[in-house]
Amino acid sequence: EDQVTQSPEALRLQEGESSSLNCSYTVSGLRGLFWYRQDPGKGPEFLFTLYSAGEEKEKERLKATLTKKESFLHITAPKPEDSATYLCAVRGSSNTGKLIFGQGTTLQVKP
Amino acid sequence: DVKVTQSSRYLVKRTGEKVFLECVQDMDHENMFWYRQDPGLGLRLIYFSYDVKMKEKGDIPEGYSVSREKKERFSLILESASTNQTSMYLCASSPLVIANEQFFGPGTRLTVL
């Protein structure tokens, strides 16, 4: 069964304190790994798609990486506006069109 | 930019009422999805649709139905609302069956009393 586990559940950082969020996955034939950002009371906002091990994508202070078993979302020198819940999702060959979501990591960055 | 809109941000209904949640996307996407999101349970897929008049059950379809009469519009129907359907409902769309990210609407916070 396809599965996604994110850790930690919650993370508190001081402004400027870099860290990483983890997304471990089990999937039959990975067709894509997706990172989303979700602010309270809003819908998820798409950040990145990764397709194969070794792939990396960057956007401002965020960098997503992918291995055969997990993905990391690295946050460099975070700012308070980076505070949000970060969701990871996968699409496998056995669930065409469907995404399997993790529970999310809620990040709080204090000034 | 892709835009997915949902008919209401907040909705309060009574037990037993029939509830319609509407979703519209403006990017000519083939695929549309309905999720519910609950604390500790994450996002769960209710129904999805690959084309007009086509629908497939997701992981938790019980108590829900859907309608897709036009490509841009996907409706979620609660035939007889119950308190355990109080949740945040999220609609999403994507351009292809395989791969490609889904784009989400702002969500509807439904409370059933």
Side-chain angles (χ1 to χ4, degrees):
Chain A
E1 182 181 342
D2 297 346
Q3 196 168 6
V4 177
T5 303
Q6 292 186 247
S7 62
E9 285 188 22
L11 183 62
R12 290 184 180 181
L13 299 173
Q14 289 296 130
E15 184 172 1
E17 180 187 1
S18 301
S19 188
S20 297
L21 282 55
N22 177 263
C23 171
S24 297
Y25 65 90
T26 305
V27 66
S28 307
L30 182 69
R31 295 287 181 92
L33 185 141
F34 306 85
W35 281 100
Y36 289 85
R37 169 193 169 125
Q38 186 175 24
D39 293 302
K42 297 186 177 180
E45 175 188 347
F46 170 73
L47 291 173
F48 304 109
T49 308
L50 302 166
Y51 291 105
S52 56
E55 190 175 357
E56 299 182 353
K57 294 231 175 126
E58 287 188 66
K59 181 180 180 179
E60 296 180 357
R61 295 177 292 281
L62 300 177
K63 179 180 178 180
T65 62
L66 181 65
T67 73
K68 288 186 178 181
K69 293 184 178 181
E70 57 191 350
S71 176
F72 292 94
L73 185 65
H74 306 278
I75 303 176
T76 302
K79 298 182 178 182
E81 53 262 42
D82 294 322
S83 298
T85 296
Y86 291 87
L87 299 172
C88 171
V90 297
R91 175 175 291 134
S93 58
S94 62
N95 289 296
T96 305
K98 293 167 58 175
L99 295 182
I100 308 299
F101 281 86
Q103 300 280 347
T105 294
T106 300
L107 172 66
Q108 184 180 26
V109 181
K110 294 191 172 183
Chain B
D1 282 350
V2 174
K3 192 165 185 182
V4 180
T5 57
Q6 295 183 229
S7 51
S8 305
R9 290 302 308 276
Y10 301 95
L11 207 54
V12 180
K13 296 292 182 180
R14 297 218 172 262
T15 302
E17 280 193 77
K18 190 169 186 176
V19 182
F20 293 87
L21 302 182
E22 304 284 337
C23 175
V24 177
Q25 50 95 3
D26 66 356
M27 287 301 292
D28 202 35
H29 286 175
E30 287 80 12
N31 309 318
M32 297 188 75
F33 307 82
W34 274 107
Y35 295 86
R36 64 177 283 177
Q37 186 176 33
D38 302 286
L41 297 176
L43 275 144
R44 294 180 291 167
L45 182 63
I46 304 171
Y47 267 96
F48 58 106
S49 169
Y50 289 146
D51 203 350
V52 175
K53 296 190 184 295
M54 178 273 175
K55 61 185 178 184
E56 286 199 30
K57 293 180 180 179
D59 301 316
I60 52 164
E62 297 78 19
Y64 303 94
S65 62
V66 290
S67 172
R68 193 165 180 200
E69 297 296 319
K70 294 184 178 181
K71 190 175 184 179
E72 68 271 18
R73 188 181 297 269
F74 193 33
S75 302
L76 181 69
I77 303 157
L78 287 66
E79 294 289 341
S80 178
S82 63
T83 55
N84 62 13
Q85 292 179 309
T86 292
S87 185
M88 168 71 100
Y89 288 88
L90 291 161
C91 175
S93 72
S94 71
L96 293 171
V97 173
I98 299 175
N100 280 16
E101 57 274 10
Q102 294 179 13
F103 296 91
F104 284 83
T108 296
R109 171 72 65 183
L110 173 67
T111 301
V112 183
L113 302 175

